[in-house]
Amino acid sequence: MNSVLMSSLSWVAYQERLQDGELVLLLPCGALEQHGPHLPLGTDALLSDAIAQAVAAKVNGLVAPTLSYGYKSQPKSGGGQHFPGTTSLDGQSLSQITRDVIREFARHGVKNLVVVDGHYENQWFLTEGIDLAMRELGAANPLRIMRLEYWDFCTEETLHHVFPEGFPGFALEHAAVIETSLMLHYFPQLVHLDVIPDEKSADFPPYDLYPACTHWVPPSGVLSSAKGASAENGALMAEQITASIAKAITYEFSKGHNKPLC
Ligand code: ZN
Ligand code: MN
């Protein structure tokens, strides 16, 4: 079995892997952000990396080192910037580092890149970095990029199984059932089930205020209860999500298929 970690290869071994024109490089993107008292600050980075590694093993891919800092935590999706430990980038910084590493991957000869986002707030700044890189590389460059938020691959069937009483939506899932279950699956030693708060779900108005109203956010930083989390559901979601991502990558990047789905 080939190693899936780019950082563990020599440049010579990396260059050899790139000889396979179908090689897929995956770039996990996370954040350093509070995830309640029961999950580590690095949760988004750890999960995007773990998922990227599992996908890489299925598609003979390679995983680049994770972008471990992300865009600013928002009250309604990550609790906000007022928590100790939450350490965020300006949007422009994230876009530029994304552009810079993509430009380097293109110089190496990478043709298929998957940006695996694990932090809700990153989305448009990663998109901007991808767009800046693509514009700079020009239409003749063979690099093709897929960007995804891993939770979007969760099927209705899986969500129904994990949330028999109804799914609260991905934004409120911060430090809640999905992330806690996935962490129990991939990094059980980093989860502290005994300190999961017993609070009501956050109830936000349909607007934002600046400066942020920190009293909108539960003091624990958990936006909806993680009480229903389990390692079994984590394993189920991990398997289904990584299989679905691998399928999409194979569909889009395999030889002979160069057209987008739409
Ligand atoms: Zn998270
Ligand atoms: Mn996040």
Side-chain angles (χ1 to χ4, degrees), residues 202-224:
D203 185 20
F204 296 111
Y207 51 83
D208 295 316
L209 288 175
Y210 309 91
C213 275
T214 55
H215 68 269
W216 288 359
V217 180
S220 68
V222 179
L223 300 187
S224 65

Side-chain angles (χ1 to χ4, degrees), residues 33 44 119 121:
E33 176 188 51
D44 291 353
H119 175 60
E121 290 86 337

Side-chain angles (χ1 to χ4, degrees), residues 33 35 43-44 118 174 179:
E33 176 188 51
H35 274 75
T43 292
D44 291 353
H174 180 75
E179 286 185 317

